[in-house]
Amino acid sequence: MRGTISKIAIAMGALMLSAAGCAVDGAAVAEPAAQGTIGITLPTTARPRWVKDGDNMKKQFELLGYTTDLKYAEDDAAAQADQVEEMVDNGVEALIIAAIDGPLMKDALEKAAADDIPVISYDRLIRGTPNVDYYATFDNFRVGVLQGKAIVDRLKLATAKGPFNLELFAGSPTDNNATFFFNGAMSVLRPHISSGKLVLRSGKHEFADVSTVGYERKLAQTRMAGLLTKHYGSAPLHAVLSPLDRMSLGITDALKAGGYGTAAKPLPVITGQDVEVDSVKLIAGGGGQVQTVFKDTRELAKVAVRMTDMLLRGETPPVNDTEQYHNGVKVMSTFLLQPVEVDKSNYQRILVDGGYYTAEQLSG
Ligand code: GAL
């Protein structure tokens, strides 16, 4: 058991630091006090958003005088559980985890709890354990709602006669968020499927039938190619629900290989998430992917850093949702941020003027 003395020391250090005028956002930073190390483990460096998440948290923790042990697990769930155990063994003060496979973390988190180490579930909810203290994330159901609405709006389902052909893709079955994205989108799309205005020629509409292990671009591409061959012959595909930009890019590749992307055979309406540069460029160009969903990782990092810092000082972090996220064992105290839809009309203002990307990054 970690002693009370170290907690008091942490609290005193934090007080001294705040007296010195240190702030997460603040420019005036006093000589950093030794606040201890925060262990952070994130899914992968292969998707840029996680790299930004990691960089932002590291920077903000350092401003508060902490050091960080930031690790990526490259989508290997067992390796991530090992990382957590190692962090516990190394005596981190707190853990921030965006889990690849939450339930696989169970033993590692039991070890953290035995050492009194607070755990924050970051972006993705860790399910099946009591040993997770807080959850910081975006409204993931809303992500799906934005994607579903984009399809409804772009196909003008309110007035157009249809029917239109749609295919569904969902995210990784081991990521709790993936069901939230899918359920959010289906809350908008299902009534139009029931009325017959949207037709799934593949007949696949259950999460388990349309999910994509690891959100892999290649898997999405292969599945899309197969759907075209099997169900589309000369029939046009009008829309594809894709939960994530990486997958949307793979889906777009398969569609282009299948002859889509010409005046005679335009690309269907495709959705996405995570404002990946290649997707933003497609959206800016028009045709095919029409939107993506922006989760401002700078804001999420701020929330997680503040939560951690407050917990270590013995304070109660503010939350704004205590109902939606049940991890199978308990309802989580959650801080939810709002995701923002990005399309051709606003990407410049939100992403470039907002300082997330430079204009050069999005050009060419
Ligand atoms: C989700 C996350 C998304 C996306 C995806 C793939 O859990 O909420 O924003 O990054 O994982 O990494």
Side-chain angles (χ1 to χ4, degrees):
M1 278 293 201
R2 173 163 296 244
T4 328
I5 294 176
S6 74
K7 295 280 177 203
I8 293 171
I10 291 161
M12 282 174 65
L15 280 175
M16 281 159 61
L17 195 70
S18 54
C22 183
V24 169
D25 278 332
V29 182
E31 195 58 27
Q35 297 276 65
T37 301
I38 310 298
I40 305 171
T41 167
L42 303 178
T44 174
T45 50
R47 281 180 290 275
R49 76 148 283 189
W50 295 118
V51 177
K52 281 186 179 273
D53 284 284
D55 290 350
N56 286 326
M57 278 191 278
K58 186 170 161 33
K59 206 162 36 186
Q60 293 175 24
F61 273 124
E62 282 169 2
L63 283 172
L64 289 177
Y66 296 94
T67 50
T68 52
D69 180 5
L70 169 61
K71 293 221 156 52
Y72 290 88
E74 307 310 345
D75 277 334
D76 180 338
Q80 192 177 39
D82 290 346
Q83 288 177 348
V84 171
E85 294 212 21
E86 202 181 311
M87 287 171 182
V88 173
D89 289 341
N90 290 341
V92 293
E93 301 300 330
L95 282 160
I96 297 186
I97 303 171
I100 296 157
D101 186 336
L104 257 186
M105 289 272 157
K106 212 165 162 248
D107 294 348
L109 294 181
E110 239 168 61
K111 214 170 146 170
D115 273 7
D116 242 359
I117 299 174
V119 174
I120 290 177
S121 206
Y122 185 86
D123 193 281
R124 299 174 170 183
L125 180 58
I126 302 176
R127 294 183 56 80
T129 170
N131 300 317
V132 44
D133 299 287
Y134 279 84
Y135 184 30
T137 194
F138 289 88
D139 186 336
N140 290 305
F141 189 87
R142 173 101 187 125
V143 170
V145 167
L146 292 173
Q147 294 168 339
K149 273 166 71 68
I151 290 175
V152 168
D153 293 349
R154 292 313 196 302
L155 295 180
K156 302 192 169 60
L157 291 193
T159 51
K161 204 157 154 277
F164 297 101
N165 295 324
L166 165 74
E167 291 299 339
L168 306 171
F169 285 72
S172 192
T174 61
D175 174 14
N176 190 59
N177 285 354
T179 20
F180 276 80
F181 304 149
F182 189 69
N183 290 343
M186 291 307 274
S187 72
V188 177
L189 296 173
R190 221 180 270 285
H192 300 283
I193 296 171
S194 304
S195 76
K197 220 173 220 189
L198 288 175
V199 177
L200 305 167
R201 288 176 71 91
S202 69
K204 303 284 187 222
H205 59 95
E206 297 292 345
F207 178 84
D209 293 330
V210 302
S211 62
T212 311
V213 172
Y215 295 92
E216 278 301 327
R217 174 177 179 156
K218 271 274 168 234
L219 286 179
Q221 181 173 348
T222 307
R223 177 162 175 260
M224 186 72 254
L227 289 172
L228 289 180
T229 315
K230 198 152 171 219
H231 302 285
Y232 285 87
S234 61
L237 176 60
H238 299 106
V240 181
L241 172 72
S242 166
L244 196 76
D245 289 348
R246 296 305 292 166
M247 290 173 54
S248 318
L249 292 167
I251 289 165
T252 303
D253 287 345
L255 287 160
K256 286 190 173 157
Y260 283 83
T262 64
K265 203 174 174 185
L267 282 162
V269 169
I270 305 167
T271 59
Q273 174 186 193
D274 269 3
V275 297
E276 289 213 12
V277 165
D278 287 345
S279 281
V280 178
K281 285 181 183 170
L282 284 183
I283 293 166
Q289 188 170 348
V290 293
Q291 60 96 253
T292 180
V293 179
F294 179 39
K295 293 169 148 180
D296 193 333
T297 52
R298 297 166 298 192
E299 295 305 315
L300 188 58
K302 257 186 229 166
V303 169
V305 169
R306 185 183 56 192
M307 262 181 181
T308 311
D309 185 45
M310 289 184 79
L311 280 173
L312 291 178
R313 292 199 236 167
E315 295 171 8
T316 307
V319 294
N320 58 12
D321 186 288
T322 50
E323 281 172 15
Q324 273 199 82
Y325 290 91
H326 198 290
N327 84 338
V329 176
K330 62 179 185 180
V331 182
M332 294 303 304
S333 295
T334 302
F335 196 98
L336 276 185
L337 288 163
Q338 282 308 309
V340 173
E341 180 166 47
V342 165
D343 62 16
K344 195 175 176 169
S345 72
N346 67 9
Y347 79 93
Q348 181 77 31
R349 175 173 58 80
I350 292 176
L351 299 178
V352 180
D353 301 349
Y356 202 76
Y357 290 132
T358 62
E360 294 78 69
Q361 282 174 304
L362 297 183
S363 69

